[in-house]
Amino acid sequence: MEREIIALLLEQEVISEDMVDKLKNVDKDKLLDSLKEFALKNTEQIKYEDIRRGLKTNYVGQNIYCFPKVFSTNTLAKFLASKGAEDGTAVIAEVQTKARGRSGKKWESPKGGIWLSLVLRPNLPPSKASLITLATGVAVAKTLISLGVDAKIKWPNDVLVKGKKISGILTEASATLNEIDYIIVGVGIDINFKVKELDPELHDTVTTLNEELGKSVNENDIISLFLKEFEDIYDNYKSGNVEDILGQWRILSDTIGKYVEIRHPLGKVNYGYAIGINKEGCLIIEEADGQIEKMISGECRTLSGR
Ligand code: BTN
């Protein structure tokens, strides 16, 4: 009976929030199996078999759910996590209809991009959660560099090519006082479409891999590469190898050594030279009067090189 309900609901092209709501009380194993079955059949470009063919990981992406259209892979991944999805499970969509960016912004997700969320269960205290965002930035940047572009990371987690944003990361965690229950790391990478397809206000600040290389690169191959890069750094994260992550981040950083403006959610603004990053992922800046300040979050804008 439950399988029939799932099958019926999954016939719909769009996995809506309403649908997820209806599935809340369905048995966990049946739900995960049925969703995976559905995911296997329905996508056009992002193909489970093609990702698997190039996949060299031990556990990240060994469980993959690829959907043609989802409102937000992060929201769906959260739901799957609440149903017991394992560490390293990947949720991927060809198109997202209500994707979320940082600071409550919307995120455009047309066909041709990589829109992917990972369910992570690192068994660490909540204080360690923010470092995974920096680690993910490193994995994205290294993946793009291996494809031939000069990718850099702007604090905290935008990946840029020649100063234009090509990728963004949205991390969401669920935790008790002492332990992370799960982290959802959502990654958006602009691959095989033109910037002109996006909202005009993004035309001057965003780029795509296709624009940078002047050719298309198969998204499935890039996903396999990214999952391997991610697993390598995620293993370091889980074993507490913070310095390795920060060391890689510093090398790839487009922020350290620059004069920056940090705009905080409640309106405060700091200006200073970015001189470092600490193990919580905070940016350390030196202000004009020599004062050293620790930036926990905020929108970073680079004003000049040193
Ligand atoms: C940012 O604002 O820079 C973060 C953008 C994160 C977008 C990705 S796409 C996959 C995942 N699903 C979402 O709804 N958001 C993230």
Side-chain angles (χ1 to χ4, degrees):
M1 176 64 179
E2 280 175 346
R3 262 187 181 282
E4 279 158 25
I5 297 169
I6 293 167
L8 199 73
L9 288 164
L10 291 182
E11 270 171 24
Q12 297 166 46
E13 193 197 356
V14 180
I15 299 181
S16 62
E17 284 176 66
D18 180 48
M19 179 170 168
V20 166
D21 216 48
K22 285 190 181 125
L23 290 169
K24 265 193 181 126
N25 298 322
V26 175
D27 173 75
K28 166 196 144 197
D29 292 331
K30 282 183 189 163
L31 173 63
L32 294 181
D33 284 353
S34 308
L35 277 171
K36 199 177 257 173
E37 217 172 277
F38 170 82
L40 274 174
K41 288 189 219 132
N42 290 279
T43 53
E44 278 173 16
Q45 268 160 249
I46 307 272
K47 289 279 179 199
Y48 172 79
E49 309 83 53
D50 293 349
I51 297 169
R52 293 287 305 212
R53 204 170 299 129
L55 195 60
K56 299 202 172 78
T57 60
N58 292 318
Y59 61 100
V60 170
Q62 291 297 327
N63 268 317
I64 298 182
Y65 297 82
C66 298
F67 297 98
K69 211 184 252 186
V70 157
F71 51 93
S72 157
T73 55
N74 261 39
T75 312
L76 190 59
K78 253 194 252 176
F79 174 70
L80 295 185
S82 75
K83 288 283 176 190
E86 287 167 21
D87 190 28
T89 298
V91 180
I92 307 172
E94 290 186 327
V95 170
Q96 295 181 108
T97 52
K98 254 176 149 180
R100 293 178 287 114
R102 287 176 58 231
S103 317
K105 289 188 190 146
K106 69 175 186 155
W107 180 263
E108 286 199 60
S109 317
K111 214 167 205 164
I114 293 178
W115 320 125
L116 169 156
S117 299
L118 293 169
V119 176
L120 306 176
R121 299 189 186 275
N123 289 328
L124 289 171
S127 60
K128 303 273 186 256
S130 58
L131 191 64
I132 194 65
T133 309
L134 299 188
T136 308
V138 170
V140 172
K142 286 174 82 175
T143 304
L144 292 170
I145 289 168
S146 74
L147 296 166
V149 294
D150 184 18
K152 297 267 181 212
I153 310 169
K154 178 168 77 93
W155 183 83
N157 53 16
D158 285 351
V159 180
L160 312 178
V161 175
K162 294 190 219 129
K164 293 189 172 181
K165 182 160 170 171
I166 193 164
S167 170
I169 297 158
L170 178 68
T171 306
E172 298 176 291
S174 164
T176 60
L177 210 55
N178 301 319
E179 202 179 51
I180 296 168
D181 178 13
Y182 60 80
I183 301 179
I184 306 299
V185 170
V187 177
I189 318 178
D190 299 337
I191 306 286
N192 289 318
F193 56 86
K194 298 288 180 195
V195 169
K196 289 271 176 291
E197 288 175 43
L198 302 175
D199 194 304
E201 72 178 24
L202 298 173
H203 290 181
D204 294 337
T205 53
V206 166
T207 190
T208 71
L209 190 67
N210 184 295
E211 306 252 12
E212 294 302 321
L213 295 177
K215 62 171 187 189
S216 299
V217 182
N218 185 288
E219 293 108 282
N220 299 298
D221 296 342
I222 304 176
I223 292 170
S224 308
L225 285 174
F226 166 72
L227 292 172
K228 174 66 180 143
E229 287 293 354
F230 182 85
E231 186 177 273
D232 288 348
I233 203 154
Y234 181 47
D235 280 342
N236 275 336
Y237 170 74
K238 287 202 281 195
S239 56
N241 203 348
V242 177
E243 260 321 306
D244 180 82
I245 298 170
L246 295 181
Q248 295 196 61
W249 193 92
R250 286 186 194 106
I251 291 170
L252 293 166
S253 166
D254 188 51
T255 306
I256 307 286
K258 303 265 175 75
Y259 189 69
V260 295
E261 171 195 272
I262 309 291
R263 213 162 261 279
H264 301 274
L266 294 176
K268 188 178 171 221
V269 185
N270 284 88
Y271 294 92
Y273 282 103
I275 56 171
I277 185 110
N278 71 8
K279 62 182 179 0
E280 283 87 39
C282 299
L283 186 72
I284 314 296
I285 66 166
E286 184 183 339
E287 297 186 326
D289 58 2
Q291 181 86 8
I292 306 294
E293 294 284 351
K294 199 169 80 174
M295 303 290 108
I296 297 168
S297 64
E299 283 297 318
C300 173
R301 197 157 71 94
T302 303
L303 300 174
S304 73
R306 194 161 209 175

